[in-house]
Amino acid sequence: AKQSGGDGFHFFDDDLERSAVAAAALEADLRVALAERQFTLHLQPQVDFATQEIQAAEALIRWNHPVRGFVQPNEFIGQAERSGMIVPMGLWVLEESCAILADWKTRPELSRLVLSVNVSARQFQSDDFVAQAMDVFRRTGVDPRRLKIELTESVMADHPQKVSVAMSQLKELGVTFSLDDFGTGYSSLSYLSTLPIDQLKIDRSFVSGIGQGARGLLICTATISLARSLNLTVVAEGVETEAEAHLLGDVHRCDLLQGYLFGRPMPRQDFEALCLRSPKG
Ligand code: C2E
Ligand code: CA
Ligand code: CA
Ligand code: CA
């Protein structure tokens, strides 16, 4: 609308107004969704390629909207972050994840699984996050070592000191940390030396197509050797083909692989069935 010359201003103004209205409507919808339990977590396996064992699952939020059906996170996470709704939503994700872990704890075949949970910068920076997490662990009896928190480096942008203290406190309980979307930001390397990170997660954009010898392979192998030398584990996301799995898993010894090749994000029951079917659970 901006390019429409003299009248452009009005168009642009309209657009802005419409999008502000849309944003407010979405925020109101998210509030309802949370109250009426329309969110659910789908689980996607993270596989130890050497043993073919499912070692962990990433929890990915889904919105089962009464009218629109399943709404994907890219349609609402951004607005949830801008409006602050991500904080109560994220708390729900943490509660639900620990409820799952508490149940797995009673089932020997599933009790060793790790659940990897996305925590947005805004939620992690909120003053209550550590206390809330401790409270959830206490109420559910979940061993914090079973919880992995995925953070992106945006978490370091605003309050690096505060974030680093919060990470250390959780790490003391046994929580582990994975640095998500690694390589897509600006100064990942400086964070690595100051933060108690356990794992690097190679972004899908570097993984796709490495089987065809694209530049992404260089980034993947560099990340894997960086992780090795820092004594971190490494997981690759977005593995879709046998060729990618072979290169990353067999040739370059990436610890964990995640992607459609091993399973799409799926309802919890399906994930559990998959674990029970697979070689060593
Ligand atoms: P992410 O953390 O980078 O999650 C990985 C995304 O890649 C997921 O998209 C997953 O479904 C998708 N994916 C996994 N394997 C493959 C593959 O082999 N091929 C392709 N093409 N895609 C694959 P999803 O579930 O749509 O989530 C999108 C983003 O939304 C996530 O990106 C994450 O940033 C955010 N998100 C999802 N759940 C939560 C949550 O509970 N809390 C927060 N704060 N953010 C979340
Ligand atoms: Ca993630
Ligand atoms: Ca990711
Ligand atoms: Ca990603």
Side-chain angles (χ1 to χ4, degrees), residues 58 150 180-181 201 203 237:
E58 179 175 6
E150 297 194 10
D180 204 353
D181 300 339
K201 189 161 190 184
D203 191 65
E237 73 174 13

Side-chain angles (χ1 to χ4, degrees), residues 1-5 7-15 18:
K2 262 193 291 190
Q3 69 272 29
S4 47
D7 284 333
F9 177 75
H10 296 287
F11 278 97
F12 189 60
D13 205 40
D14 268 4
D15 273 357
R18 231 187 335 248

Side-chain angles (χ1 to χ4, degrees), residues 13 48 66 86 111 115 130 194 196 208 225 239 244 251 256 264 279:
D13 205 40
D48 179 335
I86 195 70
S111 64
L115 196 54
V130 173
T194 54
S208 42
S225 52
V239 178
E244 290 162 358
V251 180
L256 293 177
R264 296 197 170 229

Side-chain angles (χ1 to χ4, degrees), residues 66-225:
V67 179
R68 294 163 68 199
F70 271 107
V71 185
Q72 297 301 310
N74 61 1
E75 293 187 47
F76 62 88
I77 290 287
Q79 181 54 27
E81 277 168 353
R82 285 188 292 279
S83 64
M85 275 303 288
I86 195 70
V87 175
M89 284 166 61
L91 188 57
W92 175 84
V93 169
L94 184 67
E95 298 263 3
E96 182 69 11
S97 299
C98 286
I100 293 172
L101 284 169
D103 178 54
W104 286 352
K105 193 180 167 182
T106 68
R107 300 161 70 182
E109 339 76 74
L110 303 172
S111 64
R112 297 187 56 81
L113 287 166
V114 167
L115 196 54
S116 197
V117 175
N118 295 283
V119 176
S120 79
R122 187 148 177 190
Q123 184 190 8
F124 197 81
Q125 288 159 354
S126 78
D127 287 321
D128 313 333
F129 185 76
V130 173
Q132 284 166 339
M134 287 180 176
D135 183 55
V136 178
F137 296 144
R138 195 174 37 73
R139 274 188 286 113
T140 56
V142 162
D143 179 352
R145 284 176 303 184
R146 302 263 85 86
L147 187 75
K148 181 161 76 184
I149 291 182
E150 297 194 10
L151 296 174
T152 59
E153 56 202 25
S154 64
V155 80
M156 291 309 292
D158 300 325
H159 310 283
Q161 184 55 31
K162 195 166 146 188
V163 164
S164 140
V165 169
M167 287 179 75
S168 305
Q169 288 172 324
L170 290 167
K171 201 172 163 64
E172 220 157 280
L173 299 175
V175 173
T176 55
F177 289 94
S178 184
L179 195 54
D180 204 353
D181 300 339
F182 185 76
T184 61
Y186 293 99
S187 38
S188 317
L189 296 180
S190 68
Y191 303 146
L192 292 182
S193 59
T194 54
L195 292 183
I197 297 280
D198 301 280
Q199 183 173 73
L200 302 182
K201 189 161 190 184
I202 305 174
D203 191 65
R204 181 171 83 227
S205 58
F206 303 121
V207 170
S208 42
I210 60 168
Q212 291 116 57
R215 279 183 80 92
L217 179 59
L218 282 173
I219 304 207
C220 291
T221 56
T223 304
I224 293 168
S225 52

